[in-house]
Amino acid sequence: MERYSAEKIKQLLKLYFIMGSNNSKLSPEEVLTQALKGGITIFQYREKGENALSGKEKMELGKRLQQLCKEFSVPFIVNDDIDLALELDADGVHIGQDDETAEAVRAKIGAKILGVSAHSLEEVELAVRAGADYVGIGPIYHTNTKKDAKEVRGTALITDVRRQDVTIPIVGIGGITAANAAPVFHAGGDGVAVISEISGANQPYANTQSLLNALNIEA
Ligand SMILES: Cc1ncsc1CCOP(=O)(O)O
Ligand SMILES: C=C1C=NC(C(F)(F)F)=NC1=N
Ligand SMILES: [Mg+2]
């Protein structure tokens, strides 16, 4: 299997839904089904934080969510847990700066999608050199979802990266809603990642559609 092109990754990043069992108001399966019907372009299973599942339960939920993604031909990404990603034959992984190095993860996952969180130009450039397929930059806006989120930076780092002519696909994350998503693209981002705007919604389908409309993307 060969690596995804940057162009393909940029298309996939457009509306990036991220969820774990502790983020969802409705059942995770119901939320993801509605989000997939609403038109998300990629999904990340992020089972982390208080009351997060582990072991067999974590794997079983991951398998069910992966199956839903397969039905919609939407890539299934696993956060942090490389072993789980390999066990499920996920489409890729996302790692932070406190996980294994991107080089070590790339060696394990081959041509699967590799995403890296970055909070500075230096970290973006390290991710590029390590062969990451995309970087996640945030928090763009205030968020309550990630307890240890870094300083809220707006789109400044995205702008800085593009000013340096660094072209790696970028997805913005943190406090993103239909009302504030557009600036991420204006700054040079290729997509927006959301947790609570969809997972915490009473109507995940409706919120997903609103986000897509805000991005002027046909559902
Ligand atoms: C995982 C993560 N990384 C930076 S902010 C964040 C949480 C985003 O959640 P929400 O979309 O609910 O603000
Ligand atoms: C902490 C994170 C930062 N960014 C992303 C993504 F949006 F996928 F790039 N996922 C995460 N889990
Ligand atoms: Mg991590």
Side-chain angles (χ1 to χ4, degrees), residues 4-12 169:
Y4 291 76
S5 69
E7 198 41 51
K8 180 62 181 169
I9 295 290
K10 289 184 176 199
Q11 290 166 14
L12 292 175

Side-chain angles (χ1 to χ4, degrees), residues 11 36 42 49 59 62 81 105 139 145 160 170 180 188 201 203 205 211 213:
Q11 290 166 14
L36 287 162
I42 186 169
M59 191 274 287
D81 192 337
V105 174
T145 305
D160 291 350
I170 295 172
N180 66 21
Q203 298 172 312
Y205 176 83
L211 272 157
N213 295 336

Side-chain angles (χ1 to χ4, degrees), residues 32-179:
L32 182 54
T33 299
Q34 289 196 30
L36 287 162
K37 286 177 179 169
I40 61 169
T41 49
I42 186 169
F43 173 71
Q44 180 187 131
Y45 178 46
R46 178 177 177 271
E47 192 59 26
K48 170 169 207 174
E50 54 192 289
N51 306 323
L53 303 176
S54 59
K56 195 166 179 343
E57 277 191 305
K58 175 180 177 184
M59 191 274 287
E60 294 294 346
L61 174 58
K63 197 178 279 188
R64 294 198 299 276
L65 300 181
Q66 179 182 32
Q67 186 50 41
L68 290 172
C69 290
K70 281 186 190 302
E71 287 164 21
F72 288 80
S73 302
V74 164
F76 176 80
I77 307 295
V78 175
N79 183 52
D80 285 356
D81 192 337
I82 310 309
D83 292 335
L84 177 60
L86 294 173
E87 184 181 357
L88 293 176
D89 192 22
D91 297 298
V93 299
H94 186 91
I95 58 171
Q97 294 295 322
D98 58 353
D99 296 301
E100 292 173 75
T101 66
E103 287 86 352
V105 174
R106 175 56 80 196
K108 288 181 181 178
I109 68 171
K112 292 179 183 299
I113 296 170
L114 173 57
V116 178
S117 300
H119 307 91
S120 67
L121 204 47
E122 168 78 12
E123 286 179 358
V124 171
E125 288 169 353
L126 285 170
V128 171
R129 279 204 289 278
D133 293 295
Y134 73 82
V135 288
I137 292 181
I140 306 295
Y141 308 108
H142 172 74
T143 178
N144 297 315
T145 305
K146 179 179 171 71
K147 299 301 171 222
D148 59 341
K150 303 263 184 191
E151 176 199 4
V152 171
R153 292 280 314 278
T155 58
L157 179 54
I158 299 176
T159 302
D160 291 350
V161 169
R162 294 304 189 218
R163 272 215 189 100
Q164 299 294 319
D165 296 326
V166 177
T167 60
I168 188 172
I170 295 172
V171 59
I173 185 168
I176 293 175
T177 68

